[in-house]
Amino acid sequence: EPEVTQTPSHQVTQMGQEVILRCVPISNHLYFYWYRQILGQKVEFLVSFYNNEISEKSEIFDDQFSVERPDGSNFTLKIRSTKLEDSAMYFCASSPLAGRPYEQFFGPGTRLTVL
Amino acid sequence: AQKVTQAQTEISVVEKEDVTLDCVYETRDTTYYLFWYKQPPSGELVFLIRRNSFDEQNEISGRYSWNFQKSTSSFNFTITASQVVDSAVYFCALSDGADSNYQLIWGAGTKLIIKP
Protein backbone atom coordinates (compact mmCIF):
# COMPACT_ATOMS: atom_id res chain seq x y z
CA GLU A 1 0.00 0.00 0.00
CA PRO A 2 1.42 3.41 -0.91
CA GLU A 3 2.54 5.55 1.97
CA VAL A 4 4.06 8.90 2.76
CA THR A 5 7.70 8.72 3.78
CA GLN A 6 9.76 11.26 5.68
CA THR A 7 13.49 11.62 6.25
CA PRO A 8 15.28 11.86 8.55
CA SER A 9 13.32 10.28 11.38
CA HIS A 10 15.24 12.36 13.89
CA GLN A 11 17.30 15.50 13.33
CA VAL A 12 19.40 17.22 15.96
CA THR A 13 20.72 20.67 15.18
CA GLN A 14 22.24 23.68 16.84
CA MET A 15 20.23 26.86 17.28
CA GLY A 16 20.67 29.13 14.28
CA GLN A 17 21.39 26.35 11.83
CA GLU A 18 19.31 25.63 8.76
CA VAL A 19 17.47 22.32 8.49
CA ILE A 20 15.64 20.70 5.62
CA LEU A 21 13.00 18.09 6.35
CA ARG A 22 12.11 15.83 3.47
CA CYS A 23 8.90 14.12 2.51
CA VAL A 24 7.88 11.89 -0.36
CA PRO A 25 4.09 12.08 -0.73
CA ILE A 26 1.99 9.35 -2.27
CA SER A 27 2.65 9.51 -5.98
CA ASN A 28 -0.79 10.41 -7.36
CA HIS A 29 -1.59 12.93 -4.65
CA LEU A 30 -1.75 16.62 -5.41
CA TYR A 31 -2.26 18.40 -2.07
CA PHE A 32 0.59 18.48 0.39
CA TYR A 33 0.78 19.69 3.95
CA TRP A 34 3.16 20.22 6.80
CA TYR A 35 2.00 20.03 10.40
CA ARG A 36 3.90 20.46 13.64
CA GLN A 37 3.41 18.86 17.04
CA ILE A 38 5.36 20.21 19.99
CA LEU A 39 5.91 17.42 22.49
CA GLY A 40 2.76 16.66 24.44
CA GLN A 41 0.68 19.21 22.57
CA LYS A 42 -1.80 19.13 19.75
CA VAL A 43 -1.01 18.97 16.08
CA GLU A 44 -0.83 22.39 14.39
CA PHE A 45 -1.21 23.22 10.73
CA LEU A 46 1.77 24.95 9.14
CA VAL A 47 1.23 25.12 5.41
CA SER A 48 -0.62 23.59 2.47
CA PHE A 49 0.79 23.34 -1.04
CA TYR A 50 -0.96 22.75 -4.33
CA ASN A 51 -0.01 23.23 -7.95
CA ASN A 52 3.54 24.21 -7.00
CA GLU A 53 2.60 27.02 -4.71
CA ILE A 54 1.53 27.65 -1.16
CA SER A 55 -2.25 27.51 -0.81
CA GLU A 56 -2.48 28.56 2.78
CA LYS A 57 -0.19 29.07 5.72
CA SER A 58 -0.69 29.56 9.42
CA GLU A 59 0.70 32.25 11.70
CA ILE A 60 3.41 29.82 12.74
CA PHE A 61 4.74 29.67 9.18
CA ASP A 62 6.79 32.86 9.27
CA ASP A 63 9.68 33.99 7.09
CA GLN A 64 11.98 31.42 8.65
CA PHE A 65 10.00 28.65 6.96
CA SER A 66 9.79 27.73 3.31
CA VAL A 67 8.50 24.79 1.32
CA GLU A 68 9.48 23.43 -2.02
CA ARG A 69 8.71 20.59 -4.38
CA PRO A 70 12.01 20.52 -6.18
CA ASP A 71 11.68 17.47 -8.39
CA GLY A 72 8.08 16.32 -8.61
CA SER A 73 8.44 13.69 -5.92
CA ASN A 74 10.02 15.30 -2.87
CA PHE A 75 8.30 17.92 -0.75
CA THR A 76 10.60 19.77 1.60
CA LEU A 77 10.25 22.05 4.60
CA LYS A 78 13.19 24.35 5.28
CA ILE A 79 13.76 26.22 8.50
CA ARG A 80 16.42 28.86 7.84
CA SER A 81 17.64 29.67 11.31
CA THR A 82 16.31 27.26 13.88
CA LYS A 83 15.20 28.36 17.32
CA LEU A 84 14.80 26.31 20.46
CA GLU A 85 11.03 26.54 20.13
CA ASP A 86 11.18 24.87 16.71
CA SER A 87 11.85 21.59 18.51
CA ALA A 88 8.88 19.43 17.61
CA MET A 89 7.64 16.53 15.54
CA TYR A 90 7.00 17.60 11.97
CA PHE A 91 4.48 15.65 9.95
CA CYS A 92 4.05 15.71 6.22
CA ALA A 93 0.69 14.73 4.72
CA SER A 94 -0.70 14.33 1.25
CA SER A 95 -4.18 14.13 -0.17
CA PRO A 96 -5.54 13.20 -3.59
CA LEU A 97 -7.35 15.78 -5.68
CA ALA A 98 -10.29 13.62 -6.64
CA GLY A 99 -12.24 10.91 -4.92
CA ARG A 100 -11.53 11.50 -1.27
CA PRO A 101 -9.83 14.87 -1.13
CA TYR A 102 -10.31 15.39 2.56
CA GLU A 103 -8.52 12.33 3.77
CA GLN A 104 -4.93 13.20 4.51
CA PHE A 105 -2.31 10.50 4.69
CA PHE A 106 0.45 11.23 7.13
CA GLY A 107 4.08 10.31 7.12
CA PRO A 108 5.77 8.90 10.22
CA GLY A 109 7.13 12.31 11.19
CA THR A 110 10.56 13.84 11.73
CA ARG A 111 11.52 14.67 15.28
CA LEU A 112 13.51 17.90 15.26
CA THR A 113 15.59 18.72 18.31
CA VAL A 114 17.18 22.17 18.46
CA LEU A 115 19.95 22.54 21.04
CA ALA B 1 -13.98 30.24 13.58
CA GLN B 2 -13.36 26.54 13.55
CA LYS B 3 -12.56 24.80 16.76
CA VAL B 4 -12.32 21.25 18.05
CA THR B 5 -12.63 20.50 21.75
CA GLN B 6 -11.62 17.26 23.38
CA ALA B 7 -12.38 17.94 27.00
CA GLN B 8 -10.98 14.68 28.31
CA THR B 9 -7.25 15.09 28.70
CA GLU B 10 -6.63 11.56 29.90
CA ILE B 11 -8.76 8.48 30.43
CA SER B 12 -7.64 5.34 32.20
CA VAL B 13 -9.65 2.12 32.12
CA VAL B 14 -9.07 -1.53 32.75
CA GLU B 15 -8.83 -3.84 29.79
CA LYS B 16 -12.14 -5.09 28.39
CA GLU B 17 -14.03 -2.02 29.57
CA ASP B 18 -15.83 0.13 27.03
CA VAL B 19 -14.62 3.70 26.72
CA THR B 20 -15.98 6.76 24.92
CA LEU B 21 -13.84 9.67 23.78
CA ASP B 22 -15.69 12.94 23.34
CA CYS B 23 -15.25 15.45 20.55
CA VAL B 24 -17.17 18.70 20.13
CA TYR B 25 -16.60 20.93 17.14
CA GLU B 26 -17.48 24.42 15.98
CA THR B 27 -17.85 25.57 12.41
CA ARG B 28 -20.03 27.97 10.44
CA ASP B 29 -19.88 25.88 7.30
CA THR B 30 -22.60 23.47 6.33
CA THR B 31 -20.12 21.24 4.52
CA TYR B 32 -17.36 19.88 6.67
CA TYR B 33 -15.50 16.72 7.49
CA LEU B 34 -14.61 15.17 10.80
CA PHE B 35 -11.76 12.80 11.48
CA TRP B 36 -10.29 10.66 14.20
CA TYR B 37 -6.61 9.83 14.28
CA LYS B 38 -4.70 7.58 16.64
CA GLN B 39 -1.18 8.40 17.78
CA PRO B 40 0.46 5.40 19.47
CA PRO B 41 3.59 5.83 21.61
CA SER B 42 5.71 5.38 18.49
CA GLY B 43 4.45 8.80 17.36
CA GLU B 44 2.92 8.28 13.94
CA LEU B 45 -0.59 9.48 13.11
CA VAL B 46 -2.93 6.68 12.09
CA PHE B 47 -6.13 7.58 10.26
CA LEU B 48 -9.22 5.94 11.78
CA ILE B 49 -12.27 7.51 10.19
CA ARG B 50 -13.59 10.39 8.11
CA ARG B 51 -17.21 11.51 8.27
CA ASN B 52 -18.83 14.23 6.17
CA SER B 53 -21.47 16.59 7.49
CA PHE B 54 -24.23 15.15 5.34
CA ASP B 55 -23.84 11.64 6.62
CA GLU B 56 -25.12 11.27 10.16
CA GLN B 57 -25.18 7.52 10.12
CA ASN B 58 -23.20 6.03 12.92
CA GLU B 59 -20.38 3.77 11.90
CA ILE B 60 -19.01 0.62 13.40
CA SER B 61 -15.70 -0.95 12.53
CA GLY B 62 -14.92 -3.95 14.65
CA ARG B 63 -14.54 -2.74 18.23
CA TYR B 64 -14.64 0.90 17.15
CA SER B 65 -17.79 2.94 16.69
CA TRP B 66 -18.51 6.58 16.05
CA ASN B 67 -21.56 8.61 17.00
CA PHE B 68 -22.05 11.75 14.92
CA GLN B 69 -24.68 14.15 16.28
CA LYS B 70 -25.07 17.39 14.32
CA SER B 71 -27.61 18.70 16.80
CA THR B 72 -24.96 18.78 19.52
CA SER B 73 -21.94 19.24 17.20
CA SER B 74 -20.37 16.12 18.55
CA PHE B 75 -18.49 13.23 17.01
CA ASN B 76 -17.75 10.77 19.78
CA PHE B 77 -15.63 7.66 19.49
CA THR B 78 -16.30 4.47 21.44
CA ILE B 79 -13.97 1.52 21.86
CA THR B 80 -15.74 -1.62 22.97
CA ALA B 81 -13.90 -4.27 24.98
CA SER B 82 -10.74 -2.18 25.13
CA GLN B 83 -7.34 -3.78 24.79
CA VAL B 84 -3.89 -2.71 25.96
CA VAL B 85 -2.92 -2.07 22.33
CA ASP B 86 -5.57 0.64 22.21
CA SER B 87 -3.42 2.75 24.51
CA ALA B 88 -2.58 5.88 22.56
CA VAL B 89 -3.44 9.54 22.16
CA TYR B 90 -6.55 10.00 20.06
CA PHE B 91 -7.14 13.19 18.11
CA CYS B 92 -10.36 14.50 16.66
CA ALA B 93 -9.98 16.90 13.73
CA LEU B 94 -12.15 19.09 11.52
CA SER B 95 -11.80 20.16 7.91
CA ASP B 96 -14.28 22.63 6.53
CA GLY B 97 -14.94 24.72 3.47
CA ALA B 98 -13.04 25.10 0.27
CA ASP B 99 -11.46 28.32 1.55
CA SER B 100 -9.41 26.47 4.09
CA ASN B 101 -7.77 24.26 1.46
CA TYR B 102 -8.76 21.33 3.58
CA GLN B 103 -6.32 21.94 6.38
CA LEU B 104 -7.10 19.97 9.50
CA ILE B 105 -8.01 21.74 12.72
CA TRP B 106 -7.06 19.48 15.60
CA GLY B 107 -8.35 18.93 19.08
CA ALA B 108 -5.91 18.73 21.95
CA GLY B 109 -6.12 14.97 22.05
CA THR B 110 -7.20 12.46 24.66
CA LYS B 111 -4.61 10.15 26.13
CA LEU B 112 -6.15 6.73 26.60
CA ILE B 113 -4.49 4.32 28.99
CA ILE B 114 -5.69 0.75 29.01
CA LYS B 115 -4.47 -1.17 32.04
CA PRO B 116 -4.14 -4.95 31.90
Side-chain angles (χ1 to χ4, degrees):
Chain A
E1 187 173 327
E3 58 183 22
V4 177
T5 59
Q6 289 185 244
T7 53
S9 56
H10 190 188
Q11 172 101 41
V12 181
T13 189
Q14 295 290 326
M15 191 169 58
Q17 295 295 304
E18 174 182 288
V19 295
I20 297 176
L21 310 183
R22 291 184 168 79
C23 168
V24 179
I26 294 173
S27 62
N28 62 344
H29 286 190
L30 295 174
Y31 283 97
F32 313 113
Y33 308 82
W34 282 102
Y35 291 86
R36 177 181 86 174
Q37 185 184 29
I38 294 171
L39 186 64
Q41 298 187 21
K42 69 175 171 183
V43 181
E44 301 171 290
F45 167 76
L46 289 178
V47 65
S48 60
F49 192 86
Y50 170 67
N51 201 25
N52 284 319
E53 60 183 25
I54 290 174
S55 304
E56 191 167 3
K57 57 185 181 180
S58 71
E59 294 171 353
I60 304 168
F61 195 87
D62 61 22
D63 292 343
Q64 293 297 316
F65 292 90
S66 63
V67 289
E68 203 175 38
R69 189 156 160 79
D71 57 13
S73 63
N74 289 285
F75 178 51
T76 62
L77 174 69
K78 183 194 291 187
I79 309 175
R80 284 192 192 83
S81 178
T82 50
K83 298 177 282 215
L84 294 176
E85 53 265 37
D86 293 327
S87 294
M89 183 77 97
Y90 288 81
F91 291 101
C92 171
S94 70
S95 183
L97 177 61
R100 300 172 71 174
Y102 301 98
E103 181 177 335
Q104 296 181 19
F105 295 81
F106 283 82
T110 292
R111 182 171 298 284
L112 176 65
T113 303
V114 182
L115 303 175
Chain B
Q2 316 101 312
K3 187 179 176 183
V4 176
T5 302
Q6 293 179 257
Q8 303 150 309
T9 306
E10 184 174 304
I11 299 175
S12 181
V13 300
V14 177
E15 199 173 20
K16 296 194 179 115
E17 286 185 20
D18 298 348
V19 58
T20 295
L21 310 182
D22 298 333
C23 173
V24 174
Y25 61 91
E26 294 176 31
T27 176
R28 288 177 295 186
D29 285 314
T30 55
T31 302
Y32 53 89
Y33 292 76
L34 296 162
F35 302 78
W36 277 95
Y37 282 85
K38 174 182 180 180
Q39 187 174 45
S42 50
E44 73 270 26
L45 289 166
V46 179
F47 168 80
L48 295 178
I49 191 171
R50 178 191 71 145
R51 172 64 76 229
N52 75 56
S53 52
F54 299 110
D55 181 4
E56 284 195 76
Q57 251 189 343
N58 291 328
E59 180 152 342
I60 298 174
S61 175
R63 295 184 297 106
Y64 295 170
S65 63
W66 290 269
N67 183 5
F68 178 29
Q69 299 266 349
K70 281 179 83 167
S71 59
T72 55
S73 297
S74 65
F75 186 45
N76 297 337
F77 172 34
T78 297
I79 301 175
T80 304
S82 60
Q83 299 175 2
V84 173
V85 294
D86 296 327
S87 296
V89 180
Y90 290 85
F91 290 97
C92 181
L94 164 73
S95 175
D96 67 356
D99 290 343
S100 73
N101 285 284
Y102 319 138
Q103 63 164 284
L104 291 174
I105 307 299
W106 299 75
T110 296
K111 183 175 183 180
L112 178 62
I113 300 168
I114 310 296
K115 294 187 248 186

